[in-house]
Amino acid sequence: MDESYRNLTDFIRRTSVPETFVDILLCAVPIWLAVMIGLLIGWSWRPRWTGLVYLGFRSKLRFLWTAPPGFGARRVWLAFTALSAFSVCRTLWSRLASGAKKSDIEQEIIPPSGDAVSRDKDAEEEKDVVREKDLEHLLHLLEAGNDKMEWQSMMDKSTPNMSYQAWRHEPQTGPVVYRSRTVFEDATPDIVRDFFWDDEFRPKWDPMLAYFKTLEEDPQTGATIVHWIKKFPFFCSDREYIIGRRIWESGKKYYAVTKGVPYPTLPKRDKPRRVELYFSSWIIKAVESRKGDGQMSACEVSLVHYEDMGIPKDVAKLGVRHGMWGAVKKLNSGLRAYQSARKPGVALSRSAQMAGITTKLNMDLVETSRVEEEEEKGQAMEKARRQKEQFNVDWKWIAVGGVALACGLHSSAIGKALMVGAGQRLARR
């Protein structure tokens, strides 16, 4: 008895057994599909045993246990029925696997907040509230990781001196990620950079900003920590932000990073509610004007933004969708007013002065981002090609196979073929 059990165990553990079982399943799935198509096509000249299908619909139990005559036909029929459940389970497994993969991608999209970010041992980086890894995150979202995310178009509008496009990405967990591209005509990157940084001027065009204060600033890197309080609609309490920000420069191209940071000396209160997960960063560069004169007199701003305001996601999406274009037009009007106010000889605000202190960009970060982007595109194309080759189905041959299968089942040849094929494979192993 023990020897028989060991022999059975050794037989099951042989790699040829599970491989053969998988081969049978893979062969039987198209056969099951071919049966359905073959029955529909060959219904006009169906064999006599197809009357059992009609009887089966009248009695489900009888349909499961009744099979066409022939060698092993009942087993084949029950195998087809079991394969239906197998197909469903495989689909569910694929969805779970894709969901796990998407969750991994989303973890790359939204990194941990400031409390969870590990600090570098170097003393200089210890005091930097916005680091190069935050810049890498911006480059990843706007360049390298852009193709991996599913972006939904939200808006594509323009005015005589501005054009605006916006998209959004909805991860399974975390806030909605927004991305936009704005082109301002007759504007320089320096003016746009100072405009976004100038808190003293912001209340003139941003009615939501109720309070601002600079908490810390680094005259070496230009990094600052600011305290904002924003007004929200009557059904929501105001929101409080502790924002760290810093600008990198490469030529006349600016990489501005702002994010929520912890600030222990300013404890949280019940009201206003503090927003801890906040990331709003952009790339500013000169582009050719749409006037068609070939001049680089326009300025492009590529923005990525997400934050957790503590509002239900659907409500936040509704508010953003309805208020987006109005906010963009106010932004454009504010920029034009800022250009008029920036006359020669007019003193700059402290915030605008800090915007002029930038950090030279390490080009290795940009090159690494580009290399990663090219590699990911190549891998995605190769994966798509393999999937297309693997799952490419010629429906004409399936239909012909269905008709042939109908005749084969009538002559009891299918059961014999499956069993003989499996036996031959085991013998070769």
Side-chain angles (χ1 to χ4, degrees):
M1 182 66 180
D2 295 338
E3 184 177 358
S4 301
Y5 177 75
R6 285 196 300 270
N7 292 336
L8 178 61
T9 304
D10 294 338
F11 177 77
I12 294 176
R13 289 179 178 176
R14 291 178 58 186
T15 58
S16 58
V17 174
E19 289 180 1
T20 303
F21 180 70
V22 171
D23 288 345
I24 293 176
L25 291 180
L26 294 177
C27 293
V29 169
I31 291 175
W32 173 243
L33 182 62
V35 167
M36 298 295 98
I37 299 176
L39 289 176
L40 293 176
I41 295 177
W43 191 261
S44 60
W45 51 275
R46 62 188 182 277
R48 290 174 298 174
W49 56 266
T50 54
L52 294 175
V53 176
Y54 173 74
L55 297 177
F57 280 114
R58 295 179 58 183
S59 176
K60 294 181 180 180
L61 185 61
R62 184 178 180 183
F63 177 73
L64 290 175
W65 286 97
T66 306
F71 176 76
R74 176 170 296 172
R75 297 177 183 176
V76 175
W77 191 259
L78 290 175
F80 289 156
T81 305
L83 284 174
S84 298
F86 171 77
S87 178
V88 173
C89 294
R90 186 177 62 177
T91 302
L92 293 175
W93 177 261
S94 300
R95 291 181 179 179
L96 289 174
S98 62
K101 183 177 180 181
K102 185 175 182 181
S103 177
D104 293 339
I105 294 175
E106 289 163 3
Q107 289 179 0
E108 296 179 0
I109 294 171
I110 303 178
S113 59
D115 291 333
V117 175
S118 60
R119 296 182 177 271
D120 197 285
K121 294 182 180 180
D122 187 76
E124 183 178 354
E125 293 203 2
E126 191 67 34
K127 63 181 180 181
D128 289 341
V129 293
V130 182
R131 304 177 180 84
E132 283 192 350
K133 63 167 49 179
D134 301 309
L135 176 60
E136 292 177 5
H137 185 51
L138 169 63
L139 295 174
H140 175 76
L141 290 178
L142 287 181
E143 295 180 1
N146 193 11
D147 293 338
K148 296 196 302 183
M149 302 169 65
E150 298 178 359
W151 295 101
Q152 304 174 19
S153 178
M154 295 183 62
M155 187 172 294
D156 188 353
K157 293 186 178 182
S158 62
T159 65
N161 59 1
M162 183 266 294
S163 62
Y164 181 78
Q165 296 173 293
W167 302 264
R168 74 182 178 197
H169 169 72
E170 299 185 35
Q172 290 183 343
T173 58
V176 178
V177 182
Y178 295 95
R179 179 171 65 92
S180 68
R181 177 182 179 270
T182 312
V183 178
F184 299 102
E185 296 290 332
D186 301 319
T188 63
D190 291 345
I191 287 290
V192 176
R193 175 203 64 192
D194 296 349
F195 169 70
F196 282 118
W197 234 242
D198 199 331
D199 289 343
E200 285 81 356
F201 189 84
R202 179 178 285 269
K204 297 180 180 180
W205 62 270
D206 185 1
M208 293 186 66
L209 185 61
Y211 171 84
F212 68 90
K213 181 182 179 181
T214 300
L215 301 177
E216 292 183 12
E217 59 183 32
D218 184 357
Q220 301 297 324
T221 64
T224 58
I225 300 178
V226 296
H227 181 205
W228 282 6
I229 296 179
K230 282 190 172 185
K231 296 178 183 178
F232 271 64
F234 66 92
F235 56 86
C236 294
S237 62
D238 294 346
R239 294 298 189 267
E240 179 187 44
Y241 298 80
I242 307 294
I243 300 174
R245 55 191 191 182
R246 185 177 176 182
I247 299 177
W248 281 263
E249 177 185 1
S250 175
K252 284 299 181 181
K253 189 174 182 180
Y254 299 104
Y255 301 81
V257 177
T258 70
K259 68 169 190 175
V261 295
Y263 202 74
T265 58
L266 191 63
K268 292 190 295 184
R269 298 170 292 177
D270 294 337
K271 291 184 179 182
R273 179 172 180 175
R274 181 170 298 180
V275 176
E276 295 181 302
L277 178 57
Y278 176 88
F279 188 86
S280 184
S281 305
W282 49 91
I283 299 176
I284 306 172
K285 64 180 180 179
V287 294
E288 185 177 344
S289 173
R290 64 181 178 184
K291 298 175 182 177
D293 55 5
Q295 299 296 319
M296 303 289 286
S297 58
C299 180
E300 177 189 276
V301 179
S302 299
L303 167 74
V304 62
H305 175 97
Y306 60 82
E307 63 177 291
D308 185 4
M309 298 179 290
I311 299 175
K313 185 179 294 187
D314 292 336
V315 176
K317 286 164 49 180
L318 181 65
V320 171
R321 185 170 64 251
H322 285 279
M324 176 177 288
W325 182 236
V328 172
K329 290 191 292 184
K330 290 179 181 178
L331 173 69
N332 185 42
S333 299
L335 175 62
R336 304 308 169 182
Y338 192 74
Q339 287 178 306
S340 300
R342 286 283 297 265
K343 297 178 180 180
V346 177
L348 298 179
S349 66
R350 183 58 183 171
S351 300
Q353 292 176 16
M354 293 301 297
I357 304 175
T358 60
T359 304
K360 295 298 181 182
L361 178 64
N362 182 6
M363 294 306 297
D364 292 339
L365 292 177
V366 180
E367 293 299 328
T368 302
S369 177
R370 291 176 180 174
V371 171
E372 290 178 354
E373 181 180 7
E374 293 177 358
E375 290 179 352
E376 289 173 355
K377 286 184 178 179
Q379 293 175 358
M381 293 176 62
E382 180 65 19
K383 184 178 180 180
R385 184 186 65 81
R386 290 180 180 178
Q387 289 180 347
K388 184 177 180 180
E389 292 178 355
Q390 181 179 0
F391 297 104
N392 190 22
V393 178
D394 193 339
W395 295 102
K396 294 184 295 184
W397 288 108
I398 290 181
V400 173
V403 176
L405 178 65
C407 297
L409 286 176
H410 182 59
S411 60
S412 70
I414 299 298
K416 296 178 182 178
L418 288 175
M419 300 301 294
V420 171
Q424 289 178 351
R425 183 173 179 84
L426 286 172
R428 287 197 301 268
R429 293 286 180 174

mmCIF file of all heavy atoms in Angstrom, residues 228-262:
data_model
loop_
_atom_site.group_PDB
_atom_site.id
_atom_site.type_symbol
_atom_site.label_atom_id
_atom_site.label_comp_id
_atom_site.label_asym_id
_atom_site.label_seq_id
_atom_site.Cartn_x
_atom_site.Cartn_y
_atom_site.Cartn_z
ATOM 1 N N TRP A 228 -0.251 78.640 4.105
ATOM 2 C CA TRP A 228 -1.419 79.146 3.387
ATOM 3 C C TRP A 228 -2.697 78.717 4.096
ATOM 4 O O TRP A 228 -2.757 77.626 4.689
ATOM 5 C CB TRP A 228 -1.474 78.598 1.962
ATOM 6 C CG TRP A 228 -0.568 79.252 0.979
ATOM 7 C CD1 TRP A 228 0.375 80.211 1.233
ATOM 8 C CD2 TRP A 228 -0.508 78.992 -0.425
ATOM 9 N NE1 TRP A 228 1.017 80.560 0.083
ATOM 10 C CE2 TRP A 228 0.500 79.834 -0.956
ATOM 11 C CE3 TRP A 228 -1.197 78.136 -1.278
ATOM 12 C CZ2 TRP A 228 0.824 79.839 -2.313
ATOM 13 C CZ3 TRP A 228 -0.878 78.133 -2.625
ATOM 14 C CH2 TRP A 228 0.123 78.985 -3.132
ATOM 15 N N ILE A 229 -3.710 79.553 4.008
ATOM 16 C CA ILE A 229 -5.073 79.187 4.378
ATOM 17 C C ILE A 229 -5.969 79.590 3.211
ATOM 18 O O ILE A 229 -5.953 80.744 2.773
ATOM 19 C CB ILE A 229 -5.542 79.879 5.671
ATOM 20 C CG1 ILE A 229 -4.695 79.407 6.849
ATOM 21 C CG2 ILE A 229 -7.024 79.575 5.931
ATOM 22 C CD1 ILE A 229 -5.068 80.065 8.174
ATOM 23 N N LYS A 230 -6.719 78.623 2.709
ATOM 24 C CA LYS A 230 -7.569 78.857 1.550
ATOM 25 C C LYS A 230 -9.039 78.799 1.941
ATOM 26 O O LYS A 230 -9.449 77.959 2.760
ATOM 27 C CB LYS A 230 -7.293 77.815 0.459
ATOM 28 C CG LYS A 230 -6.025 78.083 -0.332
ATOM 29 C CD LYS A 230 -5.959 77.147 -1.544
ATOM 30 C CE LYS A 230 -4.804 77.513 -2.453
ATOM 31 N NZ LYS A 230 -4.815 76.686 -3.687
ATOM 32 N N LYS A 231 -9.804 79.675 1.335
ATOM 33 C CA LYS A 231 -11.250 79.670 1.534
ATOM 34 C C LYS A 231 -11.884 78.588 0.669
ATOM 35 O O LYS A 231 -11.534 78.427 -0.492
ATOM 36 C CB LYS A 231 -11.843 81.017 1.153
ATOM 37 C CG LYS A 231 -11.390 82.194 2.003
ATOM 38 C CD LYS A 231 -12.028 83.478 1.489
ATOM 39 C CE LYS A 231 -11.541 84.687 2.282
ATOM 40 N NZ LYS A 231 -12.129 85.950 1.753
ATOM 41 N N PHE A 232 -12.836 77.871 1.262
ATOM 42 C CA PHE A 232 -13.585 76.866 0.530
ATOM 43 C C PHE A 232 -15.066 77.240 0.553
ATOM 44 O O PHE A 232 -15.482 78.104 1.336
ATOM 45 C CB PHE A 232 -13.348 75.483 1.141
ATOM 46 C CG PHE A 232 -12.162 74.774 0.555
ATOM 47 C CD1 PHE A 232 -10.882 75.285 0.710
ATOM 48 C CD2 PHE A 232 -12.328 73.609 -0.176
ATOM 49 C CE1 PHE A 232 -9.790 74.650 0.164
ATOM 50 C CE2 PHE A 232 -11.229 72.958 -0.728
ATOM 51 C CZ PHE A 232 -9.967 73.481 -0.558
ATOM 52 N N PRO A 233 -15.887 76.598 -0.294
ATOM 53 C CA PRO A 233 -17.323 76.920 -0.298
ATOM 54 C C PRO A 233 -17.946 76.740 1.077
ATOM 55 O O PRO A 233 -17.383 76.120 1.986
ATOM 56 C CB PRO A 233 -17.887 75.928 -1.318
ATOM 57 C CG PRO A 233 -16.746 75.606 -2.216
ATOM 58 C CD PRO A 233 -15.528 75.647 -1.353
ATOM 59 N N PHE A 234 -19.162 77.267 1.226
ATOM 60 C CA PHE A 234 -19.819 77.329 2.537
ATOM 61 C C PHE A 234 -20.021 75.962 3.177
ATOM 62 O O PHE A 234 -20.078 75.852 4.394
ATOM 63 C CB PHE A 234 -21.177 78.036 2.389
ATOM 64 C CG PHE A 234 -22.177 77.280 1.562
ATOM 65 C CD1 PHE A 234 -23.069 76.397 2.159
ATOM 66 C CD2 PHE A 234 -22.227 77.449 0.187
ATOM 67 C CE1 PHE A 234 -23.993 75.695 1.408
ATOM 68 C CE2 PHE A 234 -23.155 76.749 -0.573
ATOM 69 C CZ PHE A 234 -24.036 75.874 0.030
ATOM 70 N N PHE A 235 -20.140 74.906 2.343
ATOM 71 C CA PHE A 235 -20.385 73.574 2.905
ATOM 72 C C PHE A 235 -19.095 72.890 3.343
ATOM 73 O O PHE A 235 -19.129 71.754 3.834
ATOM 74 C CB PHE A 235 -21.125 72.694 1.885
ATOM 75 C CG PHE A 235 -20.428 72.574 0.560
ATOM 76 C CD1 PHE A 235 -19.448 71.625 0.351
ATOM 77 C CD2 PHE A 235 -20.772 73.424 -0.492
ATOM 78 C CE1 PHE A 235 -18.812 71.516 -0.866
ATOM 79 C CE2 PHE A 235 -20.146 73.311 -1.722
ATOM 80 C CZ PHE A 235 -19.160 72.363 -1.913
ATOM 81 N N CYS A 236 -17.942 73.537 3.171
ATOM 82 C CA CYS A 236 -16.664 72.979 3.600
ATOM 83 C C CYS A 236 -15.942 73.991 4.472
ATOM 84 O O CYS A 236 -16.080 75.208 4.281
ATOM 85 C CB CYS A 236 -15.775 72.629 2.399
ATOM 86 S SG CYS A 236 -16.412 71.300 1.354
ATOM 87 N N SER A 237 -15.176 73.486 5.413
ATOM 88 C CA SER A 237 -14.342 74.386 6.203
ATOM 89 C C SER A 237 -13.114 74.793 5.394
ATOM 90 O O SER A 237 -12.767 74.160 4.400
ATOM 91 C CB SER A 237 -13.916 73.693 7.503
ATOM 92 O OG SER A 237 -13.146 72.535 7.219
ATOM 93 N N ASP A 238 -12.474 75.864 5.820
ATOM 94 C CA ASP A 238 -11.263 76.310 5.135
ATOM 95 C C ASP A 238 -10.163 75.264 5.283
ATOM 96 O O ASP A 238 -10.192 74.413 6.181
ATOM 97 C CB ASP A 238 -10.799 77.650 5.707
ATOM 98 C CG ASP A 238 -11.788 78.768 5.404
ATOM 99 O OD1 ASP A 238 -12.665 78.556 4.534
ATOM 100 O OD2 ASP A 238 -11.704 79.833 6.051
ATOM 101 N N ARG A 239 -9.190 75.326 4.392
ATOM 102 C CA ARG A 239 -8.089 74.371 4.392
ATOM 103 C C ARG A 239 -6.761 75.087 4.646
ATOM 104 O O ARG A 239 -6.529 76.194 4.172
ATOM 105 C CB ARG A 239 -8.028 73.619 3.054
ATOM 106 C CG ARG A 239 -9.231 72.701 2.793
ATOM 107 C CD ARG A 239 -9.311 71.606 3.835
ATOM 108 N NE ARG A 239 -10.316 70.598 3.513
ATOM 109 C CZ ARG A 239 -11.562 70.619 3.925
ATOM 110 N NH1 ARG A 239 -11.982 71.623 4.690
ATOM 111 N NH2 ARG A 239 -12.406 69.655 3.609
ATOM 112 N N GLU A 240 -5.897 74.401 5.380
ATOM 113 C CA GLU A 240 -4.600 74.928 5.752
ATOM 114 C C GLU A 240 -3.503 74.117 5.056
ATOM 115 O O GLU A 240 -3.583 72.885 4.982
ATOM 116 C CB GLU A 240 -4.419 74.865 7.272
ATOM 117 C CG GLU A 240 -3.074 75.363 7.765
ATOM 118 C CD GLU A 240 -2.897 75.124 9.247
ATOM 119 O OE1 GLU A 240 -3.245 74.003 9.718
ATOM 120 O OE2 GLU A 240 -2.427 76.024 9.954
ATOM 121 N N TYR A 241 -2.483 74.814 4.549
ATOM 122 C CA TYR A 241 -1.390 74.169 3.830
ATOM 123 C C TYR A 241 -0.053 74.639 4.404
ATOM 124 O O TYR A 241 0.147 75.832 4.640
ATOM 125 C CB TYR A 241 -1.424 74.530 2.340
ATOM 126 C CG TYR A 241 -2.654 74.095 1.596
ATOM 127 C CD1 TYR A 241 -3.835 74.829 1.680
ATOM 128 C CD2 TYR A 241 -2.639 72.955 0.794
ATOM 129 C CE1 TYR A 241 -4.968 74.435 0.989
ATOM 130 C CE2 TYR A 241 -3.771 72.555 0.093
ATOM 131 C CZ TYR A 241 -4.932 73.295 0.202
ATOM 132 O OH TYR A 241 -6.055 72.901 -0.482
ATOM 133 N N ILE A 242 0.849 73.682 4.638
ATOM 134 C CA ILE A 242 2.251 73.971 4.926
ATOM 135 C C ILE A 242 3.025 73.463 3.711
ATOM 136 O O ILE A 242 3.145 72.256 3.497
ATOM 137 C CB ILE A 242 2.746 73.294 6.207
ATOM 138 C CG1 ILE A 242 1.820 73.634 7.382
ATOM 139 C CG2 ILE A 242 4.184 73.695 6.496
ATOM 140 C CD1 ILE A 242 1.833 75.097 7.761
ATOM 141 N N ILE A 243 3.539 74.377 2.906
ATOM 142 C CA ILE A 243 4.078 74.028 1.595
ATOM 143 C C ILE A 243 5.570 74.331 1.543
ATOM 144 O O ILE A 243 6.008 75.445 1.867
ATOM 145 C CB ILE A 243 3.355 74.807 0.477
ATOM 146 C CG1 ILE A 243 1.860 74.485 0.496
ATOM 147 C CG2 ILE A 243 3.960 74.498 -0.889
ATOM 148 C CD1 ILE A 243 1.049 75.324 -0.478
ATOM 149 N N GLY A 244 6.340 73.330 1.152
ATOM 150 C CA GLY A 244 7.750 73.529 0.840
ATOM 151 C C GLY A 244 7.901 73.673 -0.663
ATOM 152 O O GLY A 244 7.269 72.939 -1.432
ATOM 153 N N ARG A 245 8.749 74.590 -1.110
ATOM 154 C CA ARG A 245 8.882 74.816 -2.549
ATOM 155 C C ARG A 245 10.314 75.203 -2.904
ATOM 156 O O ARG A 245 11.040 75.804 -2.118
ATOM 157 C CB ARG A 245 7.892 75.869 -3.017
ATOM 158 C CG ARG A 245 7.936 77.190 -2.297
ATOM 159 C CD ARG A 245 6.745 78.055 -2.664
ATOM 160 N NE ARG A 245 6.882 79.438 -2.187
ATOM 161 C CZ ARG A 245 5.960 80.375 -2.340
ATOM 162 N NH1 ARG A 245 4.821 80.088 -2.970
ATOM 163 N NH2 ARG A 245 6.163 81.596 -1.890
ATOM 164 N N ARG A 246 10.659 74.858 -4.149
ATOM 165 C CA ARG A 246 12.025 75.078 -4.627
ATOM 166 C C ARG A 246 12.028 75.035 -6.151
ATOM 167 O O ARG A 246 11.192 74.348 -6.764
ATOM 168 C CB ARG A 246 12.951 74.004 -4.047
ATOM 169 C CG ARG A 246 14.427 74.173 -4.376
ATOM 170 C CD ARG A 246 15.227 73.084 -3.677
ATOM 171 N NE ARG A 246 16.641 73.134 -4.012
ATOM 172 C CZ ARG A 246 17.544 72.268 -3.569
ATOM 173 N NH1 ARG A 246 17.170 71.294 -2.740
ATOM 174 N NH2 ARG A 246 18.811 72.363 -3.926
ATOM 175 N N ILE A 247 12.980 75.747 -6.773
ATOM 176 C CA ILE A 247 13.054 75.829 -8.228
ATOM 177 C C ILE A 247 14.436 75.377 -8.694
ATOM 178 O O ILE A 247 15.457 75.806 -8.144
ATOM 179 C CB ILE A 247 12.780 77.269 -8.724
ATOM 180 C CG1 ILE A 247 11.380 77.718 -8.305
ATOM 181 C CG2 ILE A 247 12.925 77.352 -10.244
ATOM 182 C CD1 ILE A 247 11.061 79.156 -8.682
ATOM 183 N N TRP A 248 14.446 74.505 -9.706
ATOM 184 C CA TRP A 248 15.668 74.130 -10.405
ATOM 185 C C TRP A 248 15.680 74.799 -11.777
ATOM 186 O O TRP A 248 14.626 75.047 -12.363
ATOM 187 C CB TRP A 248 15.752 72.618 -10.581
ATOM 188 C CG TRP A 248 16.194 71.869 -9.369
ATOM 189 C CD1 TRP A 248 17.455 71.432 -9.075
ATOM 190 C CD2 TRP A 248 15.382 71.427 -8.270
ATOM 191 N NE1 TRP A 248 17.484 70.774 -7.881
ATOM 192 C CE2 TRP A 248 16.211 70.740 -7.358
ATOM 193 C CE3 TRP A 248 14.025 71.550 -7.972
ATOM 194 C CZ2 TRP A 248 15.745 70.188 -6.175
ATOM 195 C CZ3 TRP A 248 13.549 71.006 -6.799
ATOM 196 C CH2 TRP A 248 14.404 70.326 -5.909
ATOM 197 N N GLU A 249 16.857 75.047 -12.297
ATOM 198 C CA GLU A 249 16.981 75.763 -13.560
ATOM 199 C C GLU A 249 17.955 75.045 -14.487
ATOM 200 O O GLU A 249 18.988 74.536 -14.061
ATOM 201 C CB GLU A 249 17.480 77.194 -13.316
ATOM 202 C CG GLU A 249 17.704 77.997 -14.598
ATOM 203 C CD GLU A 249 18.319 79.355 -14.339
ATOM 204 O OE1 GLU A 249 18.596 79.665 -13.151
ATOM 205 O OE2 GLU A 249 18.529 80.112 -15.311
ATOM 206 N N SER A 250 17.589 75.010 -15.761
ATOM 207 C CA SER A 250 18.466 74.503 -16.806
ATOM 208 C C SER A 250 18.309 75.420 -18.010
ATOM 209 O O SER A 250 17.338 75.310 -18.754
ATOM 210 C CB SER A 250 18.120 73.060 -17.178
ATOM 211 O OG SER A 250 18.919 72.622 -18.270
ATOM 212 N N GLY A 251 19.254 76.358 -18.187
ATOM 213 C CA GLY A 251 19.094 77.368 -19.217
ATOM 214 C C GLY A 251 17.969 78.302 -18.814
ATOM 215 O O GLY A 251 17.991 78.909 -17.753
ATOM 216 N N LYS A 252 16.989 78.429 -19.690
ATOM 217 C CA LYS A 252 15.796 79.214 -19.379
ATOM 218 C C LYS A 252 14.585 78.301 -19.176
ATOM 219 O O LYS A 252 13.445 78.694 -19.394
ATOM 220 C CB LYS A 252 15.514 80.213 -20.505
ATOM 221 C CG LYS A 252 16.445 81.415 -20.484
ATOM 222 C CD LYS A 252 16.294 82.209 -19.185
ATOM 223 C CE LYS A 252 17.205 83.418 -19.153
ATOM 224 N NZ LYS A 252 17.084 84.176 -17.894
ATOM 225 N N LYS A 253 14.855 77.099 -18.730
ATOM 226 C CA LYS A 253 13.800 76.135 -18.418
ATOM 227 C C LYS A 253 13.800 75.917 -16.914
ATOM 228 O O LYS A 253 14.831 75.579 -16.325
ATOM 229 C CB LYS A 253 14.048 74.828 -19.163
ATOM 230 C CG LYS A 253 12.926 73.822 -19.085
ATOM 231 C CD LYS A 253 13.229 72.620 -19.983
ATOM 232 C CE LYS A 253 12.101 71.606 -19.975
ATOM 233 N NZ LYS A 253 12.387 70.438 -20.858
ATOM 234 N N TYR A 254 12.638 76.111 -16.299
ATOM 235 C CA TYR A 254 12.531 76.050 -14.842
ATOM 236 C C TYR A 254 11.674 74.860 -14.413
ATOM 237 O O TYR A 254 10.637 74.565 -15.036
ATOM 238 C CB TYR A 254 11.932 77.343 -14.291
ATOM 239 C CG TYR A 254 12.756 78.571 -14.592
ATOM 240 C CD1 TYR A 254 12.363 79.466 -15.587
ATOM 241 C CD2 TYR A 254 13.934 78.832 -13.895
ATOM 242 C CE1 TYR A 254 13.126 80.592 -15.872
ATOM 243 C CE2 TYR A 254 14.697 79.956 -14.174
ATOM 244 C CZ TYR A 254 14.294 80.828 -15.163
ATOM 245 O OH TYR A 254 15.051 81.937 -15.453
ATOM 246 N N TYR A 255 12.120 74.206 -13.344
ATOM 247 C CA TYR A 255 11.407 73.081 -12.752
ATOM 248 C C TYR A 255 11.017 73.497 -11.331
ATOM 249 O O TYR A 255 11.864 73.517 -10.428
ATOM 250 C CB TYR A 255 12.289 71.834 -12.720
ATOM 251 C CG TYR A 255 12.781 71.393 -14.084
ATOM 252 C CD1 TYR A 255 13.890 72.012 -14.669
ATOM 253 C CD2 TYR A 255 12.157 70.372 -14.772
ATOM 254 C CE1 TYR A 255 14.351 71.608 -15.914
ATOM 255 C CE2 TYR A 255 12.613 69.961 -16.016
ATOM 256 C CZ TYR A 255 13.703 70.587 -16.579
ATOM 257 O OH TYR A 255 14.155 70.199 -17.813
ATOM 258 N N ALA A 256 9.760 73.843 -11.144
ATOM 259 C CA ALA A 256 9.275 74.339 -9.853
ATOM 260 C C ALA A 256 8.522 73.224 -9.134
ATOM 261 O O ALA A 256 7.575 72.648 -9.684
ATOM 262 C CB ALA A 256 8.370 75.550 -10.053
ATOM 263 N N VAL A 257 8.947 72.918 -7.909
ATOM 264 C CA VAL A 257 8.347 71.837 -7.124
ATOM 265 C C VAL A 257 7.760 72.429 -5.854
ATOM 266 O O VAL A 257 8.453 73.134 -5.105
ATOM 267 C CB VAL A 257 9.387 70.763 -6.777
ATOM 268 C CG1 VAL A 257 8.763 69.669 -5.904
ATOM 269 C CG2 VAL A 257 9.979 70.151 -8.042
ATOM 270 N N THR A 258 6.488 72.154 -5.603
ATOM 271 C CA THR A 258 5.850 72.528 -4.325
ATOM 272 C C THR A 258 5.128 71.301 -3.788
ATOM 273 O O THR A 258 4.481 70.577 -4.555
ATOM 274 C CB THR A 258 4.850 73.684 -4.507
ATOM 275 O OG1 THR A 258 3.700 73.229 -5.231
ATOM 276 C CG2 THR A 258 5.475 74.838 -5.260
ATOM 277 N N LYS A 259 5.223 71.093 -2.492
ATOM 278 C CA LYS A 259 4.608 69.917 -1.879
ATOM 279 C C LYS A 259 4.312 70.202 -0.417
ATOM 280 O O LYS A 259 4.905 71.099 0.207
ATOM 281 C CB LYS A 259 5.528 68.695 -1.995
ATOM 282 C CG LYS A 259 6.798 68.816 -1.164
ATOM 283 C CD LYS A 259 7.535 67.490 -1.086
ATOM 284 C CE LYS A 259 8.662 67.548 -0.055
ATOM 285 N NZ LYS A 259 9.326 66.233 0.118
ATOM 286 N N GLY A 260 3.396 69.426 0.146
ATOM 287 C CA GLY A 260 3.105 69.525 1.562
ATOM 288 C C GLY A 260 4.238 68.945 2.390
ATOM 289 O O GLY A 260 4.771 67.882 2.071
ATOM 290 N N VAL A 261 4.618 69.650 3.458
ATOM 291 C CA VAL A 261 5.718 69.200 4.316
ATOM 292 C C VAL A 261 5.267 69.275 5.779
ATOM 293 O O VAL A 261 4.400 70.082 6.136
ATOM 294 C CB VAL A 261 6.974 70.073 4.108
ATOM 295 C CG1 VAL A 261 7.516 69.910 2.705
ATOM 296 C CG2 VAL A 261 6.697 71.531 4.419
ATOM 297 N N PRO A 262 5.827 68.453 6.645
ATOM 298 C CA PRO A 262 5.512 68.551 8.074
ATOM 299 C C PRO A 262 6.181 69.764 8.699
ATOM 300 O O PRO A 262 7.265 70.188 8.279
ATOM 301 C CB PRO A 262 6.068 67.236 8.634
ATOM 302 C CG PRO A 262 7.167 66.852 7.691
ATOM 303 C CD PRO A 262 6.740 67.329 6.337
#
